[in-house]
Each structure stands twice: as structure tokens, then as C-alpha cells.
Amino acid sequence: MISKRLQTLMLFLPWMCLLGWTLLLFCTRANGTDVTVAITGYDPRDLLSGHYIAYQPDWTHTDCQQFPDGNCPKELFCKEARWGEQCRFYIPQTDANALDQLFRSSPHNLQFEVIYSYLPGQTPLAKQLLINQIPWQQYLRENP
């Protein structure tokens, strides 16, 4: 039979791992430098898959001087997919339809960017989606 101490450890170990991972992400986000990356390449078939927006960085419209060495570290930002780079920005399901309509109705009139927390040599963490340089939540409130 398993001892009570081992049972207690087995019960709390997943919670401790989750807490450790959350603290690591929090510290990475807090210690990183904010960089803004223009995004493009919306795939209408995969625009909103679940609770995230799939996009690609638009390095031609991104100011690479905001990085420490003046070069965009393109290889750190997104996973490689069949069609190129793919990034994801997670959103609440309640706002998915409104964002979907924005992306589909006027992609040429709106500028989309993502603010990342960037530490050299580490995978950047997406912090905020911007539409015309304002947070997406504020944009949705002001433009229903």
C-alpha cells in the first residue's frame, strides 16, 4: 500500500509543476523587452481554430532596430508549418466572431501587430494583439 506521504506528494506534484511553470512564464514576460512585430498572412480556413488566431510575422513592416543587435531574430518567433511560419495568439471564445469579422472584412484598411516579450536566445512570448496600434479589446469596444 502507498504511504500517506507518497499519496500527498503525488497529489500535489502536478500543482507544484504548474505553479513552477507559471512563475517561469511570468518572470520571462516581466524581464523581457517589449518588441512590436507586424503580422500578416491570415489563412481564412484557419483564421480562428479553437481559441487562437493563426498568423505570420510580416518582417518587411517590422522595425528590426528594436532588437539589441538591430536584426530581427526570425527563427525564434514562430513554429515552422507546411506553408511557412505560423504563430498563434490566444483569445477568449466570446470575442472570436468579432475578430474573425475584422480580419475578413477589411484586412487592407487595418494594421495588425503583436507585442512580444523578448529575451535574446529565448522563444518570445506574445503579450498583446494590436489593431491600428491600440489593444484589440479597446478597438472592439470603440468600433462595435
Side-chain angles (χ1 to χ4, degrees), residues 57-88:
D58 183 0
W59 296 112
T60 59
H61 292 100
T62 298
D63 177 18
C64 292
Q65 294 303 314
Q66 62 187 325
F67 295 97
D69 60 357
N71 293 320
C72 290
K74 301 173 186 177
E75 69 282 350
L76 294 177
F77 274 80
C78 300
K79 295 179 180 179
E80 194 66 29
R82 290 184 308 242
W83 58 89
E85 295 176 296
Q86 179 188 5
C87 298
R88 293 178 177 175

Side-chain angles (χ1 to χ4, degrees), residues 1-136:
M1 185 135 234
I2 300 176
S3 71
K4 287 196 178 235
R5 285 186 182 185
L6 186 57
Q7 284 179 341
T8 304
L9 178 65
M10 288 172 47
L11 179 65
F12 287 105
L13 186 62
W15 290 101
M16 291 186 298
C17 290
L18 179 62
L19 179 63
W21 181 57
T22 303
L23 287 173
L24 176 68
L25 288 176
F26 177 78
C27 290
T28 300
R29 185 176 172 169
N31 293 326
T33 303
D34 284 357
V35 294
T36 303
V37 176
I39 62 173
T40 189
Y42 312 111
D43 182 357
R45 294 167 295 159
D46 191 27
L47 181 62
L48 293 172
S49 261
H51 304 302
Y52 64 86
I53 298 169
Y55 61 89
Q56 296 175 340
D58 183 0
W59 296 112
T60 59
H61 292 100
T62 298
D63 177 18
C64 292
Q65 294 303 314
Q66 62 187 325
F67 295 97
D69 60 357
N71 293 320
C72 290
K74 301 173 186 177
E75 69 282 350
L76 294 177
F77 274 80
C78 300
K79 295 179 180 179
E80 194 66 29
R82 290 184 308 242
W83 58 89
E85 295 176 296
Q86 179 188 5
C87 298
R88 293 178 177 175
F89 187 84
Y90 291 87
I91 57 167
Q93 184 178 2
T94 55
D95 298 314
N97 288 335
L99 284 173
D100 183 39
Q101 289 175 3
L102 276 179
F103 288 129
R104 291 175 193 249
S105 65
S106 59
H108 303 293
N109 299 335
L110 299 175
Q111 177 186 7
F112 298 95
E113 298 172 310
V114 174
I115 297 176
Y116 285 92
S117 177
Y118 171 76
L119 286 171
Q122 295 186 13
T123 302
L125 297 174
K127 293 174 65 172
Q128 182 64 266
L129 172 67
L130 302 177
I131 302 174
N132 288 349
Q133 300 179 343
I134 61 173
W136 66 271

